[in-house]
Amino acid sequence: MTPILYFDNAATTPVDPRVVEAMTACLTAAGEFANPASGHAPGARAKRLVEEARAAIGARVNAPPERILFTSGATEANNLALKGALRARTAERRHLITTRIEHKSVTESARALAGEGVEVTYLDCDAQGIVSPDSVRAAITDATVLVSIMHVNNEIGVIEDVAEIARICRSRGVLLHVDAAQSAGKIPLDLAGWGIDLCSLTAHKINGPKGIGALYVRRDVALAPLIHGGEPELGVRGGTLPTHQIAGMGKAYELADPALEGARLAELRDLLWCSLAALGGVTRNGCPERSAPHILNVTFRGVDGTSLLCALDDIAISQGSACASSTPEPSHVLRSIGLSDALAQSTLRFGLGRFTERADVERLVERVGMELKRLRTLAGSAPVWCSS
Amino acid sequence: MTPILYFDNAATTPVDPRVVEAMTACLTAAGEFANPASGHAPGARAKRLVEEARAAIGARVNAPPERILFTSGATEANNLALKGALRARTAERRHLITTRIEHKSVTESARALAGEGVEVTYLDCDAQGIVSPDSVRAAITDATVLVSIMHVNNEIGVIEDVAEIARICRSRGVLLHVDAAQSAGKIPLDLAGWGIDLCSLTAHKINGPKGIGALYVRRDVALAPLIHGGEPELGVRGGTLPTHQIAGMGKAYELADPALEGARLAELRDLLWCSLAALGGVTRNGCPERSAPHILNVTFRGVDGTSLLCALDDIAISQGSACASSTPEPSHVLRSIGLSDALAQSTLRFGLGRFTERADVERLVERVGMELKRLRTLAGSAPVWCSS
Amino acid sequence: MDYSSQVLRRFRSPLRAGVFAAEMPGTVRGEAEDRSLNIWVRFHVHAPGSRIEAVRFEIFGCPHAVAAAEWVAEWLEGREPSALTAWDVHAAAHALGVPTEKLGKLLRIEDALLACWQELERNGSVVDAERGG
Amino acid sequence: MDYSSQVLRRFRSPLRAGVFAAEMPGTVRGEAEDRSLNIWVRFHVHAPGSRIEAVRFEIFGCPHAVAAAEWVAEWLEGREPSALTAWDVHAAAHALGVPTEKLGKLLRIEDALLACWQELERNGSVVDAERGG
Ligand SMILES: Cc1ncc(COP(=O)(O)O)c(C=O)c1O
Ligand SMILES: Cc1ncc(COP(=O)(O)O)c(C=O)c1O
């Protein structure tokens, strides 16, 4: 069997060999394996690597390194941002604003907070997947503590206008949390410049290791800890710092170049879309003018998505969001932009990455075209609802 | 400068090359880098590696693999066990029992719960560092939800009688959580046999990677989630599974052999103790008959611990607990076994590990003897309080 | 989603998928659908006499549905028309390893077969067959 | 804990640590301690005339304390006995890079020096020195 074509880079990415090198240098007895919290020389050397990584990450997202705390990933960072910010407020009335297209780690955290008496407002996006800054402005009340919105949507790749939303939050004295798991390193992110208060980052979406992420916490933003322990990061996150994971994340952020890589991916993505569009009966989801370079979300009319996915089992892609791949229920994001369950069901997400070549895109298009034709023939004169 | 002698294996250990191999096989495009949650073939292969690791860990601690959930380390596991178990109970009166010699991740979690209205009882240990099962029995009330106690203490290495404490908890219908960060893989651990309900594990204390751990959750034990997200482990822990970290932990648990390695370490530990004892003016802390093979905690009379540590800066050791190394305040554990702050201050912890050789122990003893003599001479006719 | 080799083989090469090239006497059609289950299926059964000589189908649905349609089409060929009412959905589901939550789709396939049967009865071809036999 | 090279050098080879081999006239001793700060220090000052000719010390304490004792011992040698009252703790702390939370220990060193000075005054050797000069 020919090797699998990997087009699921929005779910996770292969680790860059240069990142692997940085990681393995912190593992064995020959390397910097010591506990960065230890006072002795090896510990101090490990700590230096941790601080170098912090600096590299801060530089990439324009944030002061000392305000970046490491977590086990963006999932934990999102949990810490929402629960930490809301639980730090003892006020009677507490209000949280988020959207219907967030990652589960945000929506589930919001639901948990609702159980603690927090009032939660879920903003809708338009048919293009865009959440209007005005809807944020309109939703803010005197009780609003935090607004949480993602920068790039993991299913349809739409880029939300977090800079404008940050201005609004600032002017109303409300904190803004941005989930940048899909944007950091892929498109420009200017935390200090835009005045963002909290930002979730992860390494494995930009060719870094899984299981490491970070939360940027602007000075003077109080958070209640989620994970208590000795010598907590920024006073809120305990636990031994995993030097190799952190060094790997640092290297990944150092290597990620939105300008260069973004342009290359956007070109491949456009090639992919134009080629798929030529097959007919396909529609692209999410605002094309405001989409991240590595995600293309397409609905294929007249075929069952599960069948298309199965027919393309020599290609790694995902139906709806990969994070929810094993759960068959239709994507909440696709519903939010108005797709019927049937159409959501026949929608695939293509994720491009650093190791995606033009030839891969061409082979992908060829395979999709072939199976699409076969399955549409199979469906014969199926009624119109099968294609709408 | 001669290479540092590493005697801080209780703080962290170098990763075994065989573990590094297992990890690197899950990183690059050539390996199993896919998201284990993805439905496609690469995702399924990654998931298989995760399940194999789960099985290896379960086998080592005698627990059904499907009841092991992965966390970012024992710190998170301890937080999840305590907060998860207590928050899952809605009862009016909730009571938690723990001890004064736990790791900060347990004591800080307990303090956080106290802030939520949970009544917390802190049990004392005796001068040998042992928490008597009777004191646990006596502390249990009708409101008691959970007892949390560590298996092996990270500072003095004492092994608590968790099997007997488990019997008591069972008979009173109270849950037992055991922090096995320092014991798993080092001494026998029989979770199912002893009837333990919750157990925290970590990889980096037994030559596995930092930043990965697990919590064993017995069937029918309800936990409130700490980190929400898509497709949570056992329904309580969200986040992308870090395949390489998990594979590394699995390999580390597969390689760890309490019988063989424990015996070897105990022999080296005894050699170290006998040699240090011969220097005079030294006392060993913690019950010698009930101590883990990899930890030796010694008080050196007549010298200032900071000076001894500085004089021995060619050796990686820690004063009090490494996790708290940069914080100078005397160790709560040493206080609990009755050491004065002055003595606690002149106490060092030696941690032995897989790569510690007999020659290392001999060189260590030589160096300690030399500096001890020098500093004691420096102290000349210092008053008796300096040695008591 | 994992599929059994039984399912994959039939999904990849459903020999009886499609329609008959020409309109033939003794051929009936029957269809069924369930939008909520995302399935639509239509069978073409050619039973000019006492035997089902050939079966074709058109289908919009998941791999399990496609495989089940192919399976039953194969099973029907050479049997008496009454077999259209005798398909054991559960046996098929078991043989193909179809998860129970997908049984609903197979039941639509059963409905389509029954529709074919009723059509046969209506235009009397079944009776003819009986006589002819 | 990071120590400056200034501290490490003096901590590793405190040339003036110890006591005088023989009891010599014009030699005084002064000590101070603070159990809460884990420090005890005793100075031996040999000032037979108008100059401090040699200084020795015994100390139980952290590297900063040891280095500071060595530093001041070195500084005192060759100076007039009154220098025992003139040591600038803060200057020393600054030069050695002693963290402010450790200043308390250096103040005990200052105390020990003052004790030496008082001892010198008491047994009149200071006065003799003045005359002799
Ligand atoms: C938008 C978004 N937020 C959060 C996450 C979770 O990040 P992590 O896998 O690091 O927990 C992901 C990906 O899984 C994501 O796409
Ligand atoms: C007894 C004990 N519990 C918990 C921990 C924390 O484990 P981790 O470093 O995996 O968070 C440690 C070590 O740091 C420990 O020694």
Side-chain angles (χ1 to χ4, degrees):
Chain A
M1 167 185 148
T2 53
I4 288 258
L5 264 185
Y6 192 75
F7 274 92
D8 205 11
N9 287 285
T12 195
T13 59
V15 180
D16 189 295
R18 293 164 291 183
V19 170
V20 174
E21 204 175 293
M23 292 171 71
T24 46
C26 313
L27 293 173
T28 67
E32 303 302 351
F33 70 87
N35 190 328
S38 295
H40 45 63
R45 288 201 304 273
K47 189 172 193 331
R48 199 166 313 122
L49 291 178
V50 167
E51 297 317 321
E52 283 169 14
R54 224 188 281 273
I57 296 163
R60 172 64 59 219
V61 299
N62 188 28
E66 71 276 10
R67 300 308 305 169
I68 289 169
L69 75 87
F70 290 105
T71 66
S72 59
T75 292
E76 182 189 334
N78 284 342
N79 275 260
L80 178 56
L82 271 69
K83 297 172 183 172
L86 272 296
R87 289 175 181 164
R89 305 298 186 93
T90 48
E92 263 321 291
R93 283 179 57 236
R94 293 175 302 162
H95 179 222
L96 166 67
I97 298 172
T98 184
T99 83
R100 293 197 192 286
I101 59 171
E102 299 302 309
H103 185 262
K104 266 209 156 65
S105 52
V106 165
T107 49
E108 296 287 317
S109 293
R111 179 176 309 160
L113 287 166
E116 297 173 20
V118 171
E119 181 196 344
V120 182
T121 299
Y122 294 92
L123 301 177
D124 289 307
C125 63
D126 62 18
Q128 299 265 292
I130 293 167
V131 176
S132 94
D134 288 339
S135 70
V136 175
R137 184 184 286 107
I140 294 177
T141 73
D142 297 348
T144 307
V145 173
L146 178 78
V147 170
S148 178
I149 182 165
M150 68 207 320
H151 191 193
V152 165
N153 181 276
N154 51 301
E155 294 190 45
I156 56 178
V158 167
I159 303 172
E160 302 297 346
D161 189 354
V162 293
E164 175 59 21
I165 291 170
R167 267 189 292 280
I168 293 168
C169 291
R170 264 300 168 70
S171 71
R172 299 290 302 271
V174 170
L175 295 176
L176 172 63
H177 165 249
V178 171
D179 175 355
Q182 291 285 357
S183 68
K186 294 258 170 55
I187 60 172
L189 183 55
D190 184 358
L191 296 182
W194 297 343
I196 287 168
D197 301 288
L198 295 157
C199 182
S200 300
L201 305 172
T202 191
H204 76 99
K205 308 286 186 184
I206 53 169
N207 308 99
K210 298 175 187 54
I212 185 70
L215 179 66
Y216 159 72
V217 185
R218 195 174 52 72
R219 253 182 90 262
D220 309 328
V221 173
L223 292 180
L226 196 61
I227 297 178
H228 288 84
E231 307 190 314
E233 287 255 295
L234 291 188
V236 293
R237 211 292 192 176
T240 301
L241 292 175
T243 319
H244 68 294
Q245 292 280 88
I246 291 170
M249 181 172 183
K251 193 64 176 177
Y253 272 68
E254 180 194 320
L255 295 174
D257 181 341
L260 272 174
E261 195 161 31
R264 192 186 82 88
L265 291 178
E267 199 174 301
L268 287 177
R269 186 225 25 225
D270 294 342
L271 168 67
L272 176 56
W273 168 238
C274 295
S275 316
L276 291 179
L279 300 174
V282 303
T283 46
R284 175 176 178 178
N285 300 307
C287 180
E289 292 70 37
R290 300 235 323 242
S291 71
H294 64 299
I295 296 177
L296 180 67
N297 188 287
V298 178
T299 299
F300 296 87
R301 296 171 185 276
V303 292
D304 173 275
T306 323
S307 282
L308 186 55
L309 201 65
C310 176
L312 294 170
D313 65 359
D314 55 336
I315 299 168
I317 35 178
S318 65
Q319 192 182 11
S321 146
C323 314
S325 62
S326 19
T327 60
E329 103 242 342
S331 140
H332 60 292
V333 174
L334 299 179
R335 270 188 175 161
S336 298
I337 60 172
L339 261 64
S340 67
D341 286 359
L343 285 186
Q345 221 269 352
S346 58
T347 297
L348 299 182
R349 177 187 68 178
F350 302 93
L352 291 77
R354 184 169 299 165
F355 304 106
T356 307
E357 298 298 340
R358 189 183 180 86
D360 301 327
V361 172
E362 288 160 356
R363 196 171 134 225
L364 169 67
V365 171
E366 182 189 304
R367 289 284 300 116
V368 172
M370 192 171 116
E371 296 301 334
L372 198 58
K373 189 152 172 297
R374 190 175 80 79
L375 292 173
R376 282 176 174 166
T377 311
L378 207 60
S381 47
V384 60
W385 68 260
C386 298
S387 330
S388 53
Chain B
M1 164 187 147
T2 51
I4 290 256
L5 264 184
Y6 191 75
F7 274 93
D8 205 10
N9 288 284
T12 195
T13 59
V15 180
D16 189 296
R18 293 164 291 182
V19 170
V20 174
E21 205 174 294
M23 292 171 71
T24 46
C26 313
L27 293 173
T28 67
E32 302 304 351
F33 70 87
N35 190 329
S38 296
H40 45 62
R45 290 201 303 273
K47 188 172 194 336
R48 200 167 311 120
L49 290 178
V50 167
E51 297 317 321
E52 282 169 15
R54 223 188 282 273
I57 296 164
R60 172 64 60 219
V61 299
N62 188 27
E66 70 276 11
R67 299 309 305 170
I68 290 169
L69 76 86
F70 290 105
T71 66
S72 59
T75 291
E76 183 190 333
N78 285 341
N79 274 261
L80 177 55
L82 272 69
K83 298 172 183 173
L86 272 296
R87 289 175 182 163
R89 304 299 184 93
T90 48
E92 262 322 292
R93 284 179 57 238
R94 292 175 303 162
H95 179 222
L96 166 67
I97 298 173
T98 184
T99 83
R100 292 197 192 285
I101 59 171
E102 299 302 309
H103 185 262
K104 268 210 155 66
S105 51
V106 166
T107 49
E108 297 286 318
S109 293
R111 179 175 309 161
L113 287 167
E116 297 172 19
V118 172
E119 181 196 343
V120 183
T121 300
Y122 295 92
L123 301 177
D124 288 307
C125 63
D126 62 19
Q128 299 265 290
I130 293 167
V131 175
S132 95
D134 288 338
S135 70
V136 175
R137 184 184 285 106
I140 295 177
T141 72
D142 298 347
T144 308
V145 173
L146 178 77
V147 171
S148 179
I149 183 166
M150 68 206 320
H151 192 192
V152 165
N153 181 276
N154 51 301
E155 293 190 46
I156 56 178
V158 167
I159 304 172
E160 303 296 346
D161 189 354
V162 293
E164 174 58 20
I165 292 170
R167 265 188 293 279
I168 294 168
C169 291
R170 264 298 167 71
S171 73
R172 299 290 303 271
V174 170
L175 296 176
L176 172 63
H177 164 250
V178 171
D179 175 355
Q182 291 285 354
S183 68
K186 293 258 169 53
I187 61 173
L189 183 54
D190 183 359
L191 297 181
W194 296 343
I196 287 168
D197 302 288
L198 295 158
C199 182
S200 300
L201 305 172
T202 192
H204 75 99
K205 308 285 186 183
I206 54 169
N207 309 98
K210 298 174 187 57
I212 185 70
L215 179 66
Y216 159 72
V217 184
R218 195 175 52 72
R219 254 183 87 261
D220 309 328
V221 173
L223 292 181
L226 196 60
I227 297 179
H228 289 83
E231 308 189 316
E233 287 255 294
L234 291 187
V236 291
R237 211 289 193 178
T240 301
L241 292 175
T243 319
H244 69 294
Q245 293 279 87
I246 291 170
M249 182 172 182
K251 192 64 174 177
Y253 272 68
E254 180 193 320
L255 295 173
D257 181 343
L260 273 173
E261 194 161 31
R264 192 186 82 88
L265 291 178
E267 199 174 296
L268 288 176
R269 191 243 355 246
D270 294 342
L271 168 67
L272 176 57
W273 168 237
C274 295
S275 317
L276 292 179
L279 300 173
V282 304
T283 46
R284 175 177 178 177
N285 300 307
C287 180
E289 293 69 39
R290 300 235 322 243
S291 69
H294 65 299
I295 295 177
L296 181 67
N297 188 287
V298 178
T299 299
F300 297 87
R301 294 169 186 279
V303 291
D304 173 276
T306 325
S307 282
L308 186 55
L309 202 65
C310 176
L312 294 170
D313 65 0
D314 55 335
I315 299 167
I317 34 179
S318 66
Q319 193 183 12
S321 147
C323 315
S325 62
S326 19
T327 60
E329 104 243 341
S331 138
H332 61 291
V333 174
L334 298 179
R335 270 187 176 161
S336 298
I337 60 172
L339 261 64
S340 68
D341 286 359
L343 285 186
Q345 221 268 351
S346 58
T347 296
L348 299 182
R349 177 186 68 178
F350 302 93
L352 292 76
R354 183 169 300 164
F355 304 106
T356 308
E357 300 296 341
R358 190 183 181 86
D360 301 326
V361 172
E362 287 161 354
R363 192 166 139 232
L364 169 67
V365 171
E366 182 189 300
R367 289 283 300 117
V368 171
M370 194 171 117
E371 297 300 334
L372 199 58
K373 188 151 174 297
R374 190 174 80 79
L375 292 172
R376 281 175 175 167
T377 311
L378 207 59
S381 47
V384 62
W385 69 260
C386 298
S387 330
S388 53
Chain C
M1 188 72 218
D2 281 351
Y3 298 99
S4 70
S5 58
Q6 291 286 330
V7 168
L8 288 177
R9 181 163 54 78
R10 293 182 173 78
F11 171 70
R12 295 215 173 100
S13 30
L15 304 179
R16 295 162 186 76
V19 299
F20 293 119
E23 274 297 335
M24 302 178 287
T27 301
V28 295
R29 304 180 342 166
E31 62 181 79
E33 72 174 38
D34 185 326
R35 300 181 181 208
S36 67
L37 294 179
N38 225 44
I39 181 174
W40 170 85
V41 61
R42 172 191 286 156
F43 280 91
H44 304 254
V45 176
H46 182 56
S50 60
R51 291 269 173 283
I52 295 175
E53 292 181 1
V55 179
R56 294 288 179 275
F57 64 91
E58 303 163 82
I59 189 165
F60 172 88
C62 72
H64 284 120
V66 174
E70 172 65 17
W71 159 289
V72 70
E74 181 180 357
W75 178 81
L76 285 168
E77 289 182 352
R79 284 202 158 62
E80 292 188 351
S82 57
L84 289 166
T85 67
W87 183 45
D88 183 340
V89 174
H90 297 275
H94 181 73
L96 291 169
V98 175
T100 44
E101 68 268 20
K102 285 195 164 192
L103 268 182
K105 301 190 182 203
L106 272 57
L107 293 174
R108 295 296 81 71
I109 291 176
E110 191 177 35
D111 293 344
L113 297 177
L114 293 177
C116 292
W117 168 250
Q118 284 150 12
E119 179 74 6
L120 273 179
E121 285 192 316
R122 207 172 299 108
N123 56 34
S125 32
V126 179
V127 192
D128 305 346
E130 242 79 288
R131 245 199 243 95
Chain D
M1 188 71 220
D2 281 353
Y3 297 99
S4 71
S5 58
Q6 291 285 332
V7 168
L8 288 178
R9 181 162 54 77
R10 293 181 172 80
F11 171 70
R12 296 215 173 99
S13 30
L15 304 178
R16 295 162 186 78
V19 299
F20 293 118
E23 274 297 336
M24 302 178 290
T27 301
V28 294
R29 304 180 342 167
E31 61 182 81
E33 70 173 41
D34 186 326
R35 300 182 181 206
S36 66
L37 295 179
N38 226 43
I39 181 173
W40 170 86
V41 62
R42 173 191 285 157
F43 281 92
H44 303 255
V45 176
H46 181 55
S50 61
R51 292 268 174 282
I52 294 175
E53 292 182 1
V55 179
R56 294 288 178 274
F57 65 91
E58 302 162 81
I59 189 165
F60 172 87
C62 73
H64 285 118
V66 174
E70 173 66 19
W71 159 289
V72 70
E74 182 180 354
W75 179 81
L76 285 168
E77 288 184 351
R79 284 200 155 63
E80 291 187 352
S82 58
L84 288 167
T85 67
W87 183 44
D88 182 340
V89 175
H90 297 276
H94 181 73
L96 291 170
V98 175
T100 44
E101 67 269 20
K102 285 195 165 193
L103 268 181
K105 301 190 181 203
L106 273 57
L107 293 174
R108 296 296 81 71
I109 290 176
E110 189 177 34
D111 295 344
L113 297 176
L114 292 177
C116 292
W117 168 250
Q118 284 151 12
E119 179 73 7
L120 273 178
E121 284 192 316
R122 208 170 299 110
N123 57 34
S125 31
V126 178
V127 190
D128 306 343
E130 243 78 290
R131 248 199 241 97

